[in-house]
Amino acid sequence: MDILGDFGRRVKELRNRSGMTQEMLALRSGLDRSYIGSVERGERNIAFLNIVAICNAFDVNLAYFFEDERFPIAPASLKRTYLNPLSEKFAYESDEEQRVLAWQIKGGITVRELSDIGSTLKKACLRLSREGKVKLLIDFRDMLADGQPFVNRPDVMDRWENLQHWAVPYCEKVVVLCNSKLMQNQFDRQGRRSGIFDRKNCLFEPDRQLLIEQSYHLLGIHGNKLVEKG
């Protein structure tokens, strides 16, 4: 078994799923870019502390890093998803009767686009919260490139965390429908940092209908047109 080679391929596939270059991974992990390159080529017997640093750069825990969920080693064509207009990548719906704010993300989001999204969602959340705390239903199931799931770039994830922190006082429950265990792990970790973890459930399930049913049960709602349409 080529342990070092398999470890390097795992680093590379997660880096590609996250839309990160070797330089970006090096910066976020505090390691040298040439070191990252040698790890990905299976040339380094990497120290445990450096493994932890790389996991933190991907914002995943050690258990997930060694999970059996694997992705193609080749980078996905993420650029196309970022070029699509925001109207094709983002949709939201306010359900006043059930006090549910639902939204979907179906492509790569830039920091600037997330700023616009955040402004829209904050206004909708404040309107709904006049009658009590809001339930959030967040759908990332169709964040796909070349038919494969990917996750937000680190700079975008940092902004998502800020938005979650803002939402804490207004939220009763939060359910996130994830496209992979990778995304589920990232949002779980983010929820702990933002303070929303105790009312948040990040779900991943290949059976899309079962996933929707689980979300309705957790939120205590009878349906949602936006999620069912998606």
Side-chain angles (χ1 to χ4, degrees), residues 102-149:
W103 72 84
Q104 292 175 327
I105 301 289
K106 294 187 175 183
I109 300 297
T110 66
V111 169
R112 183 172 181 176
E113 287 174 329
L114 185 52
S115 178
D116 294 337
I117 290 172
S119 178
T120 298
L121 295 177
K122 285 179 179 180
K123 291 176 183 177
C125 185
L126 289 172
R127 284 195 298 269
L128 278 179
S129 66
R130 291 170 184 165
E131 303 299 325
K133 289 198 172 184
V134 177
K135 300 173 183 179
L136 302 182
L137 179 53
I138 307 165
D139 186 2
F140 288 100
R141 292 172 300 162
D142 290 323
M143 267 187 62
L144 306 172
D146 301 335
Q148 292 289 328

Side-chain angles (χ1 to χ4, degrees), residues 57-71:
F58 290 133
D59 207 4
V60 300
N61 57 34
L62 280 168
Y64 174 76
F65 186 90
F66 294 103
E67 257 275 3
D68 59 2
E69 179 179 73
R70 304 304 293 258
F71 303 102

